[in-house]
Amino acid sequence: MEKSNSNSNTLVSFEKVNKSFGATNALIKCSVSFEAGKIHALVGENGAGKSTLGKLILGVHSHDSGIIKVDGNEVFLSSPRDAVKHGLVGISQELSLLPDRTVVDNIAIGRETTIGPFVSSKKTLEKVLAVMEEYGLFIDPTKLVGSLSVADQQKVEILRALNTNARLIVFDEPTARLASHQADQLHDLVRSLAKSGTAVVYISHFLEEVLKISDTISLLRNGEKVRTDSTSKETKNSLIEGMTGRDVGNLFPNKPAIDPTSEVLLRVRNLTRENEFKDISFEIKKGEILGIAGLVGSGRSELAHAIYGNRAPDSGSIELYGKEFIIKDVAHSIKNGMAMVPESRRDQGLLLERSLLENTSLPYLEKFTSWIYGLNKEEEYSEVDESCKTTMIKHSGLEKEVQYLSGGNQQKVLFARAAMNKPKLLIADEPTRGVDIGAKQVIYELISQLSKVGEAVLLISSEVEEIIGVAHRTLVMSRGKVVAELKGSQITKSAIMEAAFKQD
């Protein structure tokens, strides 16, 4: 059971802490403690209060009532600066780096070494290199952050936290954008941080990961803490039941049967884009769910954007419904029955300062507009509301800005938008990233329903279990090429990973 807050190893403790956003109670009488040298995981569905708890620790939000203590002393963390003074820092699921500045600039920002009123570039670099050496994380300090892979950008963010003499680090969905081998490397780093005495708060929707890496798990549901216990006493099923209040059962629906006489809906021939992918050829039949697996950087997302019209290929051709499809732009693809859930909701999908209504209906405004009457707000509202209900988005109003939704609910907005178009072809690039178990089931069921009514899905995922559980057939990409095609019982974790790591 949860240790007493009086434990000498307790670094941060919450006692009956409350936090509300308008009418939404994000955290209700939460009592929990975090110990130095321990990895403490927070799990729960979207809207359970995990990220809110993490942000209270980091001073991003201030608590409404209750007591927060650091080193046994009551504190009021009114800003991230206050938290940093106590050694409390965080790594968010959406990286907050300066892409046009160098690695050393990003790591040292706000903590540069000075000589008098002047910044000493040499001494600042020496300090950054010392931090890299101490934790065994080396990245070329002169490189621009924008040129780095997602995995290396995450390392820069972690190094920046370590450069602040962090005593507690909050990791919020840290492996959501990483391939499996990169996630393993991150796990090793997190363990080494805990071993050196750093307290780690680990927020993740990946329950296997939580069970593998943490010492303690706190379960939250609807803003309330259900329980805190030793990881050794939990299982995946016990966590799911605690998070949802029910036994979720089988995560994946049965794969709909494909009519062998079904027409080919999409045919791609020798599609090439320099330095991204080469000679890609495949077809998808009506009702088929085609998975594309591979490591981050293998060209999967780039291929998806080329098919969707977001970037032009250098050569090759596409046929849609048996006719040549000229790639023009995204609007042209939408009109021809395509929809896409992009990989990065913040960079590619959402207008964070606009409403849930606007974000969902934006690509289809022409549908609700006439020359005489203009925009039919009532019809727009009705269809968006129905789509949001179908995808189980938790919100306090369609007029609320998307930036105030949880990360998981922001992801579901992308799916609600795609579903509104009733697409003939859905391109889903990491569609369940940052989404909880219950919402994953909803999304998998929606994908399955598309298949049942004869629509096609191109599913790109870094979660091998997702590919195995959902796809009828799978292509594996490596270094911009398709290196394997797997069908039925051939779609196994070992077969996918073996192909993904092919060198030639």
Side-chain angles (χ1 to χ4, degrees):
M1 294 299 294
E2 183 179 3
K3 292 180 174 63
S4 167
N5 289 354
S6 62
N7 189 308
S8 60
N9 290 326
T10 298
L11 178 60
V12 175
S13 64
F14 280 43
E15 299 174 10
K16 296 183 178 179
V17 170
N18 294 288
K19 179 62 184 177
S20 298
F21 298 97
T24 302
N25 296 317
L27 213 58
I28 305 167
K29 293 182 179 180
C30 180
S31 296
V32 63
S33 61
F34 304 98
E35 296 180 30
K38 298 292 184 181
I39 302 171
H40 192 134
L42 302 179
V43 299
E45 292 191 285
N46 294 128
K50 308 181 304 296
S51 292
T52 298
L53 178 51
K55 288 175 180 178
L56 289 177
I57 295 172
L58 300 175
V60 175
H61 302 313
S62 299
H63 64 295
D64 298 332
S65 61
I67 298 172
I68 298 178
K69 292 182 179 180
V70 178
D71 296 322
N73 301 311
E74 185 175 354
V75 297
F76 187 83
L77 304 172
S78 61
S79 69
R81 182 181 292 273
D82 286 345
V84 170
K85 288 178 182 177
H86 292 284
L88 315 177
V89 298
I91 312 295
S92 69
Q93 56 181 306
E94 302 293 345
L95 302 180
S96 56
L97 300 171
L98 303 175
D100 296 326
R101 302 300 294 271
T102 64
V103 168
V104 67
D105 288 342
N106 273 272
I107 294 173
I109 189 167
R111 298 183 66 84
E112 297 89 346
T113 303
T114 59
I115 299 176
F118 303 104
V119 172
S120 172
S121 299
K122 181 180 178 182
K123 291 190 177 295
T124 298
L125 175 60
E126 288 174 355
K127 184 180 178 183
V128 167
L129 291 173
V131 173
M132 288 182 178
E133 184 175 353
E134 181 179 354
Y135 292 96
L137 285 173
F138 184 80
I139 300 170
D140 185 346
T142 64
K143 276 195 171 183
L144 291 178
V145 162
S147 69
L148 301 176
S149 66
V150 170
D152 281 343
Q153 287 182 11
Q154 193 161 50
K155 289 177 185 176
V156 173
E157 185 113 20
I158 292 169
L159 284 165
R160 182 165 68 185
L162 296 173
N163 193 45
T164 64
N165 300 317
R167 302 166 63 210
L168 179 148
I169 302 179
V170 177
F171 287 87
D172 192 353
E173 301 289 354
T175 59
R177 302 178 69 185
L178 301 182
S180 57
H181 71 290
Q182 294 169 329
D184 288 339
Q185 293 170 0
L186 178 70
H187 294 162
D188 290 341
L189 173 61
V190 170
R191 290 190 190 97
S192 70
L193 289 172
K195 192 173 181 180
S196 69
T198 304
V200 175
V201 179
Y202 202 91
I203 303 171
S204 178
H205 285 298
F206 300 117
L207 300 185
E208 294 90 348
E209 173 181 66
V210 165
L211 291 165
K212 177 181 177 182
I213 194 174
S214 66
D215 301 301
T216 305
I217 299 175
S218 286
L219 259 161
L220 291 95
R221 185 167 72 232
N222 297 326
E224 297 184 89
K225 192 191 78 173
V226 176
R227 66 174 179 266
T228 295
D229 219 332
S230 167
T231 302
S232 62
K233 296 180 181 179
E234 298 284 6
T235 65
K236 183 175 179 179
N237 285 341
S238 71
L239 292 178
I240 292 173
E241 289 179 22
M243 287 164 54
T244 63
R246 63 188 186 278
D247 183 0
V248 172
N250 187 16
L251 182 60
F252 303 104
N254 293 328
K255 297 179 185 179
I258 304 175
D259 184 346
T261 63
S262 289
E263 300 174 49
V264 173
L265 191 144
L266 174 73
R267 181 176 282 112
V268 175
R269 290 177 174 166
N270 303 316
L271 211 63
T272 297
R273 183 176 165 91
E274 190 176 357
N275 298 322
E276 292 184 357
F277 51 84
K278 185 176 182 180
D279 292 332
I280 305 296
S281 298
F282 65 87
E283 60 184 40
I284 309 178
K285 289 185 174 183
K286 290 182 177 180
E288 184 177 19
I289 303 168
L290 177 65
I292 299 187
L295 304 179
V296 174
S298 60
R300 301 169 305 163
S301 295
E302 292 81 0
L303 173 63
H305 281 282
I307 294 171
Y308 192 54
N310 205 23
R311 55 186 70 170
D314 297 324
S315 60
S317 64
I318 293 176
E319 288 182 10
L320 196 62
Y321 317 121
K323 298 180 180 179
E324 183 179 7
F325 179 72
I326 305 299
I327 298 174
K328 295 181 180 178
D329 52 32
V330 170
H332 180 65
S333 298
I334 290 173
K335 287 179 181 178
N336 281 274
M338 291 191 196
M340 185 174 187
V341 175
E343 178 185 18
S344 174
R345 57 178 172 263
R346 286 178 174 258
D347 296 335
Q348 302 165 334
L350 298 175
L351 301 172
L352 294 175
E353 296 182 356
R354 304 309 289 265
S355 70
L356 172 55
L357 178 72
E358 291 170 307
N359 270 278
T360 308
S361 66
L362 183 60
Y364 319 117
L365 289 180
E366 187 176 343
K367 173 182 177 181
F368 306 115
T369 305
S370 70
W371 287 105
I372 299 175
Y373 300 106
L375 180 63
N376 187 328
K377 286 274 189 181
E378 185 176 343
E379 185 181 356
E380 178 195 19
Y381 191 98
S382 176
E383 288 207 24
V384 170
D385 186 47
E386 182 62 30
S387 192
C388 289
K389 285 177 180 176
T390 301
T391 51
M392 295 178 65
I393 297 173
K394 293 181 181 178
H395 64 88
S396 56
L398 296 183
E399 300 298 336
K400 190 176 181 66
E401 291 177 16
V402 166
Q403 63 179 320
Y404 297 118
L405 297 177
S406 69
N409 280 304
Q410 288 179 0
Q411 185 74 5
K412 285 189 274 186
V413 173
L414 297 177
F415 213 90
R417 177 197 294 166
M420 261 190 72
N421 194 35
K422 296 179 174 57
K424 297 298 181 185
L425 171 66
L426 172 65
I427 302 172
D429 191 358
E430 307 288 2
T432 63
R433 173 171 288 166
V435 165
D436 61 61
I437 290 285
K440 280 187 176 184
Q441 278 193 308
V442 172
I443 290 175
Y444 296 148
E445 187 59 43
L446 287 170
I447 290 173
S448 178
Q449 288 299 323
L450 287 175
S451 172
K452 286 178 182 177
V453 298
E455 298 170 9
V457 179
L458 183 62
L459 172 66
I460 298 166
S461 179
S462 298
E463 291 190 52
V464 176
E465 292 79 7
E466 186 166 274
I467 291 287
I468 296 170
V470 176
H472 294 104
R473 185 165 54 95
T474 298
L475 304 178
V476 184
M477 291 185 65
S478 177
R479 299 189 177 188
K481 296 181 180 179
V482 173
V483 294
E485 179 179 350
L486 306 171
K487 302 177 182 178
S489 61
Q490 297 175 335
I491 309 175
T492 63
K493 186 171 184 178
S494 59
I496 290 172
M497 296 311 296
E498 181 181 347
F501 280 100
K502 274 189 177 179
Q503 297 299 307
D504 299 312

